[in-house]
Amino acid sequence: MLLKIVTFGLYSAWAKVRKRRYFFGNTLLDNSPFDYLADPLALFKGWLIGAGLFILYMLGTKASPSLSFIFVLLFFIVTPWLIVRSRMFNHRNTEHRGVRFSFRPNYREAYLVFAVLPVLMPVTLGLLLPYMVYRQKNFFVVNSSYGQTPCTFAATAEDFYKIFIKGLGIFILILIVFFVGVSFLSMLFLGGASLFSLSAQPVNPASLQKSVGLAVGLLVLLILPLYLTFAVYLETALANLTWNSTGIGASRFNCTLSVPAIIWIRLSSAFVILVSLGLMIPWAAIRMVHYRFGQLEFRATDDLESFLAASQEEVGSAGEEIGDIFGIDVAL
């Protein structure tokens, strides 16, 4: 991070490769590490393209709102292409036991799941969200291969709707508990008057101010765990479903991430990062990765040496770096 700052971001490509090689090299499957083979110079060229486009966007935004709109529209149009190219580049440069991964450039499906479905989201009032997430996860998995062995995806759209419906139920339950708690505590401070029934009976200004202060304090204290519980449940449930539905040939994955464990890791890590003034961020990152991969198992039906390497063409890094600069999330 220091090198990125003093070089005004020019070191970003080398920093990314160093970080990925460190994490990949310490991730073991059957006692064999993964490897990240990307050339930092190739990433740097892509970074220059992405940085140039970002500067044009910023200048266009200041010069004319219409230019800004046109640029955003163009970026939206090319986003599916960027996602595919980024995926191809990263797979092409990831290997295990000398066998590389690959990603099939299915641009037609990419535009459906990353452009058409998001546009239809408002029309369906969000009801399309679980189906869209399902299609995106399916897209990433079924177009991936390990050597010459393609990946498979067994989950259905119904499985994703069940997770989102349960998540909505959890969110509603937390809201109910939150408002009941605020009402109960406000009654204690107002001598029997509920915060939500103040309009029905006279309350002195001092008590009203105390009640409102209590409500605001509770909101601040409870909104974080409320959001964290809901968000971590969705993240964990979707990760477990995605990995447990993913196979490479006849071999399967088994993922057993726990919501309470991830909440504890995040909250305790946030506290340590805070008291260390950010110096423990690397420790927190490794702690989370260590837990995630500790809960992930690959149940191979065949010997890992049986996966054959496939010949692959070189893939440019522009999609990877442009997507990274503009914040496109292409993680599984």
Side-chain angles (χ1 to χ4, degrees):
M1 182 174 294
L2 176 61
L3 289 171
K4 288 167 66 175
I5 293 174
V6 299
T7 61
F8 301 100
L10 296 178
Y11 188 73
S12 297
W14 284 266
K16 176 181 291 186
V17 172
R18 284 184 63 184
K19 180 179 178 181
R20 288 185 176 177
R21 284 178 179 171
Y22 176 80
F23 278 97
F24 282 36
N26 286 281
T27 301
L28 308 180
L29 175 61
D30 195 28
N31 294 319
S32 296
F34 288 80
D35 195 10
Y36 188 65
L37 307 173
D39 180 9
L41 187 58
L43 279 172
F44 178 67
K45 294 176 182 178
W47 183 89
L48 288 176
I49 296 174
L53 292 176
F54 183 75
I55 292 173
L56 288 176
Y57 166 72
M58 295 300 296
L59 293 176
T61 301
K62 293 183 177 182
S64 170
S66 58
L67 285 177
S68 175
F69 173 77
I70 293 174
F71 192 92
V72 170
L73 180 61
L74 291 174
F75 185 68
F76 176 77
I77 293 174
V78 301
T79 291
W81 178 86
L82 291 174
I83 291 175
V84 171
R85 300 299 295 183
S86 172
R87 202 71 173 180
M88 291 174 63
F89 180 83
N90 284 319
H91 276 47
R92 174 70 179 81
N93 288 286
T94 302
E95 74 167 20
H96 182 261
R97 293 175 178 262
V99 179
R100 298 195 185 195
F101 291 82
S102 62
F103 190 79
R104 183 165 57 94
N106 191 341
Y107 293 106
R108 180 177 180 180
E109 185 179 0
Y111 274 90
L112 171 63
V113 300
F114 293 108
V116 177
L117 294 183
V119 169
L120 295 178
M121 276 280 294
V123 179
T124 63
L125 301 179
L127 296 177
L128 193 65
L129 177 60
Y131 178 74
M132 182 184 73
V133 174
Y134 156 70
R135 288 298 302 267
Q136 291 177 350
K137 300 292 187 183
N138 181 78
F139 171 79
F140 281 136
V141 174
V142 300
N143 289 294
S144 300
S145 299
Y146 176 54
Q148 297 181 5
T149 307
C151 296
T152 59
F153 196 63
T156 64
E158 181 181 354
D159 297 326
F160 282 81
Y161 271 98
K162 290 179 180 178
I163 288 178
F164 277 90
I165 291 174
K166 186 176 179 180
L168 179 61
I170 293 174
F171 186 74
I172 293 174
L173 179 61
I174 293 175
L175 282 179
I176 293 174
V177 173
F178 169 72
F179 284 111
V180 169
V182 171
S183 179
F184 175 75
L185 291 177
S186 65
M187 290 174 62
L188 296 180
F189 276 83
L190 291 171
S194 171
L195 176 65
F196 303 108
S197 60
L198 291 176
S199 60
Q201 51 187 309
V203 179
N204 66 69
S207 297
L208 177 60
Q209 184 178 6
K210 184 183 294 185
S211 179
V212 171
L214 172 65
V216 172
L218 285 174
L219 180 63
V220 173
L221 290 176
L222 295 181
I223 197 67
L224 177 60
L226 183 153
Y227 170 77
L228 189 61
T229 302
F230 172 69
V232 169
Y233 165 74
L234 281 183
E235 174 191 344
T236 304
L238 289 174
N240 285 337
L241 174 60
T242 300
W243 281 113
N244 292 334
S245 303
T246 298
I248 302 179
S251 302
R252 315 294 303 179
F253 287 93
N254 181 47
C255 188
T256 55
L257 296 175
S258 166
V259 173
I262 290 184
I263 290 178
W264 162 248
I265 291 174
R266 287 192 171 175
L267 289 178
S268 56
S269 295
F271 174 77
V272 173
I273 291 173
L274 182 64
V275 298
S276 67
L277 302 180
L279 294 177
M280 293 297 285
I281 290 178
W283 169 82
I286 292 177
R287 185 185 182 204
M288 178 60 78
V289 172
H290 188 272
Y291 170 74
R292 288 184 177 277
F293 282 107
Q295 303 302 122
L296 183 63
E297 179 185 19
F298 183 60
R299 298 177 174 177
T301 57
D302 300 310
D303 190 283
L304 292 179
E305 301 294 345
S306 64
F307 292 97
L308 300 177
S311 58
Q312 299 170 321
E313 62 177 349
E314 291 297 329
V315 180
S317 62
E320 160 69 8
E321 286 302 308
I322 295 173
D324 185 66
I325 289 176
F326 284 92
I328 299 177
D329 182 10
V330 293
L332 176 61

